[in-house]
Amino acid sequence: MKVETPRSIAEAEAVQDELRSLLDLTGPGPLRPARVAGVDVAYDGERLAAAVAVLDGVTLELIEQVTVGGRVAFDYVPGLLAFREVPALVEALGRLSTAPDLVVCDGYGLAHPRRFGLACHLGVLTGLPTIGVGKTAFVGSYPDPAPERGSWTDLTLDGDVVGRVLRTRHGVKPVFVSVGHRVDLDTACRNVLALTPRYRLPETTRVSDRLSRTALAKNVVLD
DNA sequence: GCGACAG
DNA sequence: ATCTTGTCGC
């Protein structure tokens, strides 16, 4: 599957508004996924490497991986990150031998200016259940969650609860969880906690991050 | 108008 | 994202 790249910011925003109508916010989504995928993209100027790491949902061991090289086709603009990463990620996901039960994205889903962040975009294009886990604040306001692992607070935007600020490790900076496609917020957070037995970030994002950087360093084939 | 702004 | 050393703490 090839993904078209918008020529302007206005066009990109129009695409988001268009695709948003295809979003499935009907939960609950996978509570005990057998295969959980993490996706990430690493950059080096014009070059980029996208990686998909599929982990066993129970043991969190890596069971399949795919990396693809490419070139940047859309400059980074807050709110339009998906146009930078989605083409390569769709390509990488398409090369998996078996579809994952859940895809964990680096960034946001519904918690987005137009309610259509990277996780929503990737979900609609692939049809797979997706969630977004951001490392820093992007949109919305929130109270700080209690210091215990598992505690959380609502991430609110324009009067809507668009995600949760979730503490994955005691006393450590929380992560920002929001729904992507075909998964509800409760299920999304349960999965994030299952993926963080030791570190702040989900094992899926840790592994995919490492894979994408390694692929870049290996001078992957360019498109 | 000015500042903020996932990765 | 990426540029970048040492350093504090478990």
Side-chain angles (χ1 to χ4, degrees):
Chain A
M1 171 190 272
K2 287 188 178 181
V3 180
E4 298 298 320
T5 295
R7 288 188 187 162
S8 68
I9 289 179
E11 192 180 320
E13 294 179 335
V15 169
Q16 293 183 321
D17 289 334
E18 168 78 20
L19 295 179
R20 192 180 51 212
S21 63
L22 302 176
L23 202 53
D24 181 355
L25 298 178
T26 304
L31 187 53
R32 260 82 175 177
R35 299 162 59 87
V36 190
V39 294
D40 195 20
V41 180
Y43 302 86
D44 171 35
E46 281 285 281
R47 293 196 311 140
L48 65 79
V52 176
V54 180
L55 310 189
D56 180 302
V58 176
T59 66
L60 302 189
E61 288 177 356
L62 181 63
I63 52 182
E64 185 173 5
Q65 64 181 70
V66 171
T67 58
V68 304
R71 283 187 175 288
V72 174
F74 201 89
D75 287 332
Y76 173 69
V77 176
L80 301 179
L81 172 67
F83 294 99
R84 229 173 127 68
E85 316 207 325
V86 155
L89 293 179
V90 167
E91 160 102 45
L93 284 167
R95 294 188 186 180
L96 288 175
S97 66
T98 307
D101 302 300
L102 175 68
V103 178
V104 180
C105 306
D106 258 51
Y108 289 66
L110 256 197
H112 175 279
R114 282 172 299 285
R115 306 297 195 279
F116 200 72
L118 171 64
C120 299
H121 204 136
L122 190 59
V124 167
L125 262 46
T126 62
L128 299 170
T130 61
I131 65 174
V133 179
K135 299 181 283 294
T136 62
F138 176 38
V139 292
S141 56
Y142 58 93
D144 281 325
E148 298 75 39
R149 162 179 157 83
S151 61
W152 54 272
T153 54
D154 286 332
L155 177 61
T156 306
L157 178 63
D158 302 323
D160 301 323
V161 173
V162 295
R164 281 182 193 167
V165 181
L166 177 67
R167 192 83 71 179
T168 54
R169 303 302 307 163
H170 188 110
V172 174
K173 191 210 294 194
V175 297
F176 301 77
V177 181
S178 58
V179 157
H181 186 58
R182 300 176 52 198
V183 186
D184 65 36
L185 195 49
D186 275 310
T187 304
C189 288
R190 291 213 175 213
N191 275 286
V192 170
L193 287 174
L195 291 166
T196 52
R198 184 168 165 73
Y199 299 102
R200 176 175 86 115
L201 299 178
E203 282 304 312
T204 39
T205 87
R206 286 167 48 77
V207 177
S208 57
D209 178 85
R210 180 164 50 67
L211 287 178
S212 62
R213 296 197 201 212
T214 299
L216 247 198
K218 284 191 172 181
N219 195 23
V220 292
V221 178
L222 297 175
D223 284 337

